[in-house]
Amino acid sequence: MTQLLLVVGARPNFMKAASVLSAARARGISTQLVHTGQHYDRELSRVFFDELGLDAPDVSLGVGSGSHASQTARIMLEFERELLRIRPEIVAVVGDVNSTLACALVATKERFPVAHVEAGLRCFDSSMPEEINRRLTDHLSTYLFTTSRDADANLAAEGIPQDRVHLVGNTMIDTLLRFRDAARSRRAPETYGLTPRGYAVLTLHRPDNVDALQQLGTIIDTVATIASEVPVLFPIHPRTLAQMRGTALEARLTRAPEIIVTEPLGYLDFIGLLDAARLVLTDSGGIQEETTVLGVPCLTLRESTERPVTVMSGTNTVVGTDPDVVLIAARKILADDAPAGGVPELWDGRAGERIVEILARSAPDKLPLLLGGRR
Ligand code: UD1
């Protein structure tokens, strides 16, 4: 392969793609970066390009927000036109957002081989849009690059041929390891008046947790109790802010003085804040992985995780949102009774290189195409 098109759309995609892009460029492979525009606010998009040293996207589709159907459909329409103009050898998609599935579907139907970076993760809860996106993208892909052995087993159980599956490690961790020192040197905790190991970080954006005010209120009340014991920094996602704006819940949050609410943070400050935290509470997928590598205790405010390796080998505990369960788990950590974790196999900063190595070896006429040869 000499020409790779890489798709990004939403915040967690940028750090995963950065590693693949730099590995491809180091091998002299021509790359085209397509940004769907699923995330468009500066704090959810542009800041990551700046801090990760990424060039501006070659193509910006500018689709913006919308219902799942309208967002996915707009991405498909716009992406199809660009794909047929660029005609890359391989299309790489990352993660599990709507942009991932939309572009994988277009590429497959136009008979371009698809590489899925972060394949095989399953939480077995199909009420989550990401679970639908992951499962379908995997079944469309020719190359499935996995981060852990449980992902390989999930793909095998779904009948995906093993010769398409490659355990390569974690590209989000490649970027974390590359930028960890730069993040630390910014001393972000001090900027927010926090003492290293003397605060918690909270992130919340899953529809299950934030779209119903009652559920969101229960979580905020639990966090307010934790915040009476340790300050909590809460960079708020636009989706969560939109739900709360003008409600009694927003007033409740403002009244809890030990919850420090900020806008979404840039990558370096956020990693710096995770790195020095005593405790992290989150419903994000990527943060479960980052805290595992940083060795920081993480409580996942969901009923399940698609990343069991962070629980088995890492510092993550899936606690759900029952206030009593969350409080007991948080107090255990604050009492320094957190399980020591290790770093999962191959999360060593070289996943992007392994992916590019495998793709570079594939000759176009020998691609194991899923649905026939490329036109
Ligand atoms: C999306 C992904 C989720 C990922 C998350 C990271 C899907 C289905 N969801 O969720 O997997 O973990 O990104 O952030 O792909 N909005 C803005 N500015 C933006 C983008 C969105 O204000 O730049 C607001 C809009 O009101 C939008 C809402 O946030 O309706 C939700 O955005 P959307 O991209 O639909 O989903 P996320 O919740 O961000």
Side-chain angles (χ1 to χ4, degrees):
M1 177 202 62
T2 58
Q3 200 202 12
L4 178 69
L5 185 158
L6 193 60
V7 176
V8 291
R11 181 168 63 177
N13 294 164
F14 307 129
M15 14 320 193
K16 295 170 193 170
S19 149
V20 179
L21 270 179
S22 70
R25 295 213 173 122
R27 281 189 75 115
I29 289 167
S30 142
T31 56
Q32 293 275 321
L33 184 65
V34 175
H35 189 335
T36 64
Q38 177 174 342
H39 282 178
Y40 43 85
D41 283 350
R42 184 175 193 284
E43 316 90 71
L44 291 195
S45 177
R46 172 75 193 276
V47 69
F48 294 91
F49 280 76
D50 294 347
E51 293 190 355
L52 300 174
L54 290 170
D55 293 337
D58 299 287
V59 178
S60 292
L61 303 181
V63 298
S65 301
S67 69
H68 284 281
S70 69
Q71 186 176 62
T72 307
R74 282 205 302 274
I75 297 169
M76 289 179 70
L77 286 171
E78 297 296 322
F79 182 65
E80 183 183 56
R81 197 185 58 235
E82 294 300 326
L83 178 68
L84 294 177
R85 180 178 66 76
I86 298 168
R87 310 199 71 85
E89 279 177 51
I90 296 180
V91 173
V93 296
V94 299
D96 56 16
V97 301
N98 285 345
S99 301
T100 311
L101 174 60
C103 295
L105 189 51
V106 170
T108 307
K109 290 208 167 180
E110 288 299 333
R111 300 184 176 187
F112 291 85
V114 172
H116 185 201
V117 176
E118 199 187 82
L121 299 183
R122 300 286 183 271
C123 65
F124 304 100
D125 173 2
S126 50
S127 70
M128 286 184 66
E130 293 81 3
E131 182 78 352
I132 299 167
N133 292 341
R134 295 179 194 117
R135 193 179 281 269
L136 295 180
T137 301
D138 285 340
H139 285 263
L140 295 168
S141 296
T142 301
Y143 297 92
L144 294 100
F145 294 115
T146 59
T147 52
S148 53
R149 290 193 188 273
D150 56 274
D152 295 6
N154 292 336
L155 295 170
E158 289 174 22
I160 291 183
Q162 288 302 288
D163 60 353
R164 292 198 193 133
V165 179
H166 309 271
L167 176 65
V168 291
N170 191 320
T171 58
M172 181 170 252
I173 299 306
D174 293 356
T175 299
L176 173 71
L177 295 177
R178 182 168 155 212
F179 287 95
R180 184 170 51 185
D181 288 345
R184 282 179 178 157
S185 69
R186 289 164 71 99
R187 300 184 171 277
E190 284 86 339
T191 310
Y192 291 94
L194 299 165
T195 317
R197 303 282 163 239
Y199 63 92
V201 173
L202 168 70
T203 80
L204 280 179
H205 74 280
R206 295 281 166 207
D208 268 2
N209 280 340
V210 307
D211 282 5
L213 273 182
Q214 199 186 346
Q215 167 72 352
L216 184 54
T218 303
I219 298 176
I220 296 297
D221 287 344
T222 310
V223 171
T225 306
I226 295 171
S228 66
E229 295 166 34
V230 65
V232 177
L233 185 85
F234 182 22
I236 197 161
H237 189 283
R239 179 180 200 109
T240 313
L241 185 62
Q243 294 304 321
M244 279 198 222
R245 192 158 264 151
T247 68
L249 187 53
E250 188 181 33
R252 238 148 78 203
L253 190 59
T254 321
R255 274 202 310 270
E258 295 305 326
I259 304 183
I260 304 155
V261 179
T262 73
E263 298 203 314
L265 300 173
Y267 182 68
L268 295 175
D269 279 351
F270 188 69
I271 292 299
L273 283 155
L274 284 188
D275 184 46
R278 179 80 169 267
L279 159 69
V280 173
L281 300 126
T282 191
D283 59 8
S284 147
I287 293 172
Q288 297 171 48
E289 298 181 339
E290 289 164 338
T291 47
T292 280
V293 170
L294 295 171
V296 173
C298 176
L299 298 180
T300 294
L301 305 175
R302 287 170 43 194
E303 300 304 327
S304 61
T305 181
E306 63 288 339
R307 292 160 160 94
V309 73
T310 62
V311 177
M312 314 300 281
S313 342
T315 51
N316 185 25
T317 313
V318 178
V319 289
T321 54
D322 180 307
D324 292 338
V325 178
V326 176
L327 281 174
I328 288 169
R331 285 184 176 136
K332 251 181 100 164
I333 292 168
L334 296 177
D336 282 332
D337 185 15
V343 175
E345 181 186 4
L346 295 180
W347 290 21
D348 59 358
R350 302 195 47 219
E353 288 167 34
R354 293 188 190 101
I355 289 169
V356 169
E357 170 70 32
I358 290 163
L359 293 178
R361 278 203 309 262
S362 62
D365 58 341
K366 294 197 191 120
L367 289 174
L369 281 179
L370 195 58
L371 300 172
R374 175 156 69 86
R375 289 190 307 202

